[in-house]
Amino acid sequence: MRAARYIGVAMAATLAAATGCSGGDGGGGREATAATSPGTAPSGLGAFYGQKLDWKSCGGGFQCATAQVPLDYAKPSGGKVGISMIRLPAQDKSARIGSLFTNPGGPGGSGVDFVRQAASSFGADLRKRFDIVGFDPRGVGASDPVRCNTGPQLDGFFAADSSPDDKQEVDAFAGLSKQFANNCKSKASAELPYVGTKDAAHDMDILRAAVGDSKFTYYGASYGTYLGAIYAEEFPKNIRALVLDGAVDPKESAIGTLVEQSKGFETAFRAFAEDCVKSAGCPLGTSTSEAEKNLTAFMAKTDKTPLANTRDSRKVTESLAVMGIATALYLKDYWPLLRQALSQAMQKGDGTLLLALADQMVERKPNGSYSNQTDANMAVNCVDKPNPPNLAAYGQAADEAKKAAPHFGPFVVWGGLPCIYWPVQPKQQPQAVHAKGAPPIVVIGTLRDPATPYKWAQSLAKQLDSGVLLSLDGDGHTAYLQGNACITKATDTYLVTTEPPKNGTLCH
């Protein structure tokens, strides 16, 4: 569950079809000058900044193009990466402001798919006055994707016991994690040093210039907030307006990120349980304390005896069941489906709906293949921030997470274990971002967000010299596009006029 991405629109379409239900920098160098003026290309990058995109119709009113960026910014005359882009043109050309770049998070989420699915959900003023632009970051989707593991290999990795209870189980999961890393070393070693967030942030400035915008306007969700924050640190004077929704804290360590994320899932589950036990027939019981005890018992039982499912021959292990629960916590609209899934699993021993939810999290297709989201997610995370040095240190972190978040801690933390075996290790340390000289940057946090805890939004808004905190007293992952009128109005007004809401605004 290292993924942190906006999941709502895609989930609604694909999960309903599946279930029949409704409801870093890895050591590559960088140019020395980052904070360039909008009209000036950094040294050696003139051809990239001056490129003209060949936009072509790609269905549904969308246009697609491919931009070229250097594989290694220290050697821009060397290899290139093709960045797949999509845009939905502004409805009113006479009122057009420019491009609104977007990123749905991950890392590993396809920005092209996101715009196809979600562009029409953006506010009317934004659709009228901006081209809504998405792109697949380097290593993701259609942008020279990192691909390491086969479908069966990923099936095995996700089904494995990622909450090991003894040395034998730890060693078994460590073996799978090491194999994951070795697969990437053998199949994608040339790309791995250059898929970090800092590289992707530099790519975004090239994309800004390639679409003809002198200033950068951006909406980033989840991990997309980290990408946006790094962009702000590198190019503060190139910003017009940035919205960072469901914020990630740049100064948090890799393992600290996982521990805090597990606490976020624990908080979100309690909110779901409090809602569930208010009505008759809740599979978790009649009180929140009973709900937590029953979930613990259910997990222990599933650890020993995996659930069956009616979709295929896979067994629904404890790890897959927890992943399914976590997926539904991303969106409050899916609480009724989670209640149904838990009823099915806890009362009938049927894990079909939990498995469908888990498959949605990791973008597993009905034919058993996967998108490259998982491989890219691991590749970016492993080179962005240092990880614990060995298995023993990782185990200590998992123990810490279990104390803080007993139902989700071990699964979230152990899920990142391949990084300690990764063939490319990061050279930089986590650090705060300030974006000195940037105009106001709006950071949005949801109080009971499962994947990006609210404290991260508070932290990022304080770090940024011009940070403005906008909060939603609500549930689910991210706030914009979830239908809250207060959040929509504040966000759209800022993106159109560059006038931010009052710092500390709380929407209900």
Side-chain angles (χ1 to χ4, degrees), residues 464-483:
L464 293 164
D465 284 4
S466 58
V468 176
L469 180 63
L470 173 64
S471 305
L472 174 64
D473 183 0
D475 301 280
H477 183 40
T478 72
Y480 190 69
L481 300 181
Q482 306 293 0

Side-chain angles (χ1 to χ4, degrees), residues 109-330:
S110 169
V112 171
D113 290 348
F114 172 70
V115 164
R116 279 200 181 275
Q117 296 158 352
S120 62
S121 299
F122 278 76
D125 286 346
L126 302 185
R127 285 286 300 107
K128 178 181 178 181
R129 308 194 67 177
F130 289 96
D131 298 341
I132 308 297
V133 178
F135 65 97
D136 288 350
R138 56 172 61 208
V140 175
S143 297
D144 290 1
V146 172
R147 290 193 179 276
C148 312
N149 296 282
T150 66
Q153 286 171 332
L154 289 175
D155 281 349
F157 180 76
F158 289 124
D161 192 339
S162 55
S163 178
D165 301 313
D166 54 39
K167 184 179 184 302
Q168 183 178 357
E169 291 182 351
V170 168
D171 290 345
F173 192 70
L176 287 172
S177 298
K178 189 171 186 178
Q179 185 61 54
F180 190 122
N182 287 339
N183 290 343
C184 286
K185 180 179 180 180
S186 64
K187 295 182 180 180
S189 59
E191 303 166 74
L192 295 184
Y194 310 109
V195 297
T197 300
K198 197 170 183 180
D199 281 311
H202 281 249
D203 294 345
M204 288 203 300
D205 202 54
I206 289 177
L207 301 185
R208 171 197 59 77
V211 301
D213 285 4
S214 62
K215 295 279 189 174
F216 189 59
T217 306
Y218 176 78
Y219 168 80
S222 199
Y223 161 81
T225 67
Y226 182 56
L227 177 59
I230 298 303
Y231 179 91
E233 187 77 345
E234 296 291 301
F235 304 99
K237 298 183 185 300
N238 292 7
I239 293 171
R240 177 185 170 276
L242 257 66
V243 173
L244 308 179
D245 181 13
V248 174
D249 187 348
K251 65 182 177 62
E252 188 72 77
S253 69
I255 204 69
T257 296
L258 296 177
V259 172
E260 290 301 324
Q261 188 180 58
S262 68
K263 294 179 185 178
F265 281 107
E266 203 78 32
T267 296
F269 174 77
R270 290 192 191 103
F272 161 74
E274 287 173 6
D275 179 78
C276 182
V277 300
K278 291 176 183 177
S279 55
C282 175
L284 293 168
T286 58
S287 69
T288 52
S289 60
E290 186 179 10
E292 295 204 22
K293 291 178 182 178
N294 285 337
L295 180 64
T296 300
F298 167 70
M299 289 168 56
K301 182 178 179 180
T302 308
D303 187 25
K304 295 180 179 180
T305 307
L307 305 167
N309 92 92
T310 59
R311 297 173 64 203
D312 52 39
S313 61
R314 288 178 294 161
K315 296 294 184 181
V316 183
T317 63
E318 182 188 17
S319 295
L320 290 172
V322 172
M323 189 186 299
I325 294 169
T327 305
L329 295 176
Y330 271 67

